Structure formats: C-alpha cells, structure tokens
Amino acid sequence: MEPQNLSNSETNHTSSETAKTLLALRGIPGSGKSSLAKAISFTNGAPIFSIDSYFEDEAGEYHFDYQKNHLAYKECETKTKQALEREIPFVIVDNTFTLDWELSPYIHLAKEFGYKLYVVTVENRHDGKNVHQIPEEQIEKMKAKYQVVL
C-alpha cells in the first residue's frame, strides 16, 4: 500500500490544522522511535531524518563510529533544513534528543521556516531492544540526563 499524500484540496481542515509540521521523536535507544517514525511516514509519506541513518550502509547495516558522531548530527540537521526549505508539509526527525542542545537546532529551524514543532517522547513500554549494541550502562546514563519539558 502506497503512502497517501493528501493535499489541502482533498481535506476539509482549516488552515491552522494543515500547517507545516516538524515532528521530533525522542527517546532512549530501543524505545521504538524509528518504528513509530516509519509507521507515521507510511500513512503520510513524510521523510524521516535520523542520526542513525548516517551510520547505515547501502545494505541497511549499522556501523557506529563515535568519532564521526558530529558529522551525523550535522547531516541530519542539514537534510531537515533542506526539507523545510522545500516546504514539505510534514517532516519527521528521529533521534534520542536526550539533551536540550540536540533539539535546539530543530527548534530554530521550525521557527525560521514557519513549522509547528511537536516533540514526542517515545517510551519503551513494549520491551523494545536496542538494536545498535549500546551498552546498558550508557543507556542508564542517557536516562539520568534525559529532560522532559512539559
């Protein structure tokens, strides 16, 4: 089944309901961010940008290199900016966003390009597993510094 791309003429929503949206999915590794991003994208055709994708090869295998992490952050931000510049109506960013500085560029991009920003924390209530072999002690450190703004 192909994702549907509904234009404003095919819906009965008001202009405020059809505003451009930037959805930031955040959570610890294994929480299901990528799975949720794919499910949402399947329904609306939204592009997904993620730091993880930088470390995936053509076969989809993940090869993390901490020394290139800063490049992954920059590439994700750049691709997101390009999508917003093209006024793609719904864009998804799937990252851990455990620290405010990780989310900050996306807050600025949303403001700059007139997008509504929604930040959704994905909780691991389904016993999801971390597929990137991040050690449990590192995940515990991420949990300890994770901040939620209500």
Side-chain angles (χ1 to χ4, degrees):
M1 184 164 153
E2 297 268 335
Q4 293 182 348
N5 188 5
L6 300 177
S7 69
N8 290 344
S9 63
E10 295 170 317
T11 62
N12 290 327
H13 300 295
T14 65
S15 61
S16 65
E17 291 177 307
T18 56
K20 299 177 293 186
T21 300
L22 176 58
L23 174 63
L25 298 177
R26 66 189 297 249
I28 61 166
S31 62
K33 299 176 304 296
S34 298
S35 296
L36 179 57
K38 288 174 187 170
I40 294 169
S41 178
F42 182 77
T43 65
N44 67 8
I48 303 167
F49 302 107
S50 173
I51 291 169
D52 286 345
S53 64
Y54 182 87
F55 299 105
E56 291 177 355
D57 61 20
E58 294 81 27
E61 293 184 31
Y62 185 78
H63 304 282
F64 182 72
D65 180 349
Y66 182 75
Q67 293 180 337
K68 294 183 179 179
N69 211 26
H70 67 287
L71 298 173
Y73 276 97
K74 192 63 183 167
E75 179 182 89
C76 184
E77 184 182 334
T78 299
K79 287 183 175 182
T80 302
K81 181 178 181 179
Q82 290 169 345
L84 302 188
E85 286 174 334
R86 293 188 350 245
E87 296 187 342
I88 295 175
F90 197 103
V91 177
I92 302 169
V93 180
D94 154 26
N95 291 323
T96 56
F97 294 122
T98 56
L99 301 171
D100 281 343
W101 72 263
E102 295 171 319
L103 189 57
S104 182
Y106 301 94
I107 294 169
H108 295 297
L109 286 172
K111 288 179 184 175
E112 179 180 351
F113 293 100
Y115 277 70
K116 284 187 177 182
L117 173 67
Y118 295 95
V119 179
V120 175
T121 297
V122 181
E123 297 180 356
N124 188 355
R125 294 185 181 235
H126 59 285
D127 294 324
K129 302 298 176 217
N130 158 31
V131 298
H132 300 309
Q133 291 77 43
I134 297 173
E136 190 60 36
E137 62 268 10
Q138 182 64 29
I139 291 176
E140 290 302 317
K141 287 179 185 178
M142 293 172 86
K143 287 179 184 179
K145 57 188 175 181
Y146 198 92
Q147 297 177 338
V148 177
V149 177
L150 300 176

